[in-house]
Amino acid sequence: MPLYQMLCIAVHYPEYQHIKQLVQQTATHVMNSGGAVRTLNSWGTLTLPQRMRRHKVYHQRGDYWTMHFDTSPHTLQSLNKLMRQDPRVIRWTVLNLGSKVENVASEGQKAVKGDSQTYADVIDQCT
């Protein structure tokens, strides 16, 4: 399975239950489809580089987070559909970090050993 990295900008709400639910939903979707979530990182709330419109609403602040995961291309298509329909998501992008065993091993090792937090740490911070 290829290794992917997703960067997501979510709508900023004063309470973090919305971002927590979004992260849980995304990670659960990947894991229920046979994929593996390697890391989740929260970058916090930042001002957007420009005013962005999504679902007929303009946004100036967003909650940034990333996820490294392994999954099949079919699951990636369904994940993109899920993100497109979710009103909590402003923008997202998915990068393919590698599909060969050698690339996945080296990039996966960087993702796991980097200054990243575990899934449980990110969820605990959101509570």
Side-chain angles (χ1 to χ4, degrees):
M1 279 192 264
L3 173 65
Y4 296 102
Q5 177 183 12
M6 180 173 70
L7 170 65
C8 181
I9 305 172
V11 174
H12 176 69
Y13 293 101
E15 63 279 348
Y16 282 99
Q17 72 182 24
H18 299 285
I19 187 81
K20 177 182 176 183
Q21 291 171 353
L22 176 63
V23 171
Q24 281 181 335
Q25 175 185 349
T26 306
T28 303
H29 180 77
V30 170
M31 290 187 287
N32 286 344
S33 301
V37 175
R38 292 179 182 250
T39 60
L40 287 166
N41 295 320
S42 174
W43 291 5
T45 303
L46 301 171
T47 303
L48 299 175
Q50 63 188 18
R51 186 174 72 155
M52 294 183 183
R53 182 175 178 203
R54 185 71 177 171
H55 297 287
K56 299 181 182 180
V57 178
Y58 286 97
H59 304 280
Q60 294 184 355
R61 297 179 70 192
D63 295 320
Y64 287 70
W65 58 278
T66 63
M67 177 172 75
H68 285 87
F69 60 99
D70 298 303
T71 192
S72 67
H74 178 69
T75 304
L76 187 62
Q77 288 178 346
S78 63
L79 180 64
N80 279 326
K81 183 178 179 182
L82 182 77
M83 299 300 275
R84 186 178 309 112
Q85 295 174 349
D86 198 322
R88 297 171 293 191
V89 176
I90 300 172
R91 296 279 194 278
W92 79 98
T93 188
V94 179
L95 302 173
N96 184 343
L97 298 179
S99 55
K100 295 181 182 177
V101 176
E102 300 84 24
N103 296 343
V104 170
S106 64
E107 289 296 328
Q109 188 176 22
K110 289 178 192 174
V112 172
K113 287 188 177 182
D115 293 331
S116 59
Q117 300 168 337
T118 64
Y119 176 66
D121 292 338
V122 173
I123 297 300
D124 288 341
Q125 285 181 353
C126 294
T127 3

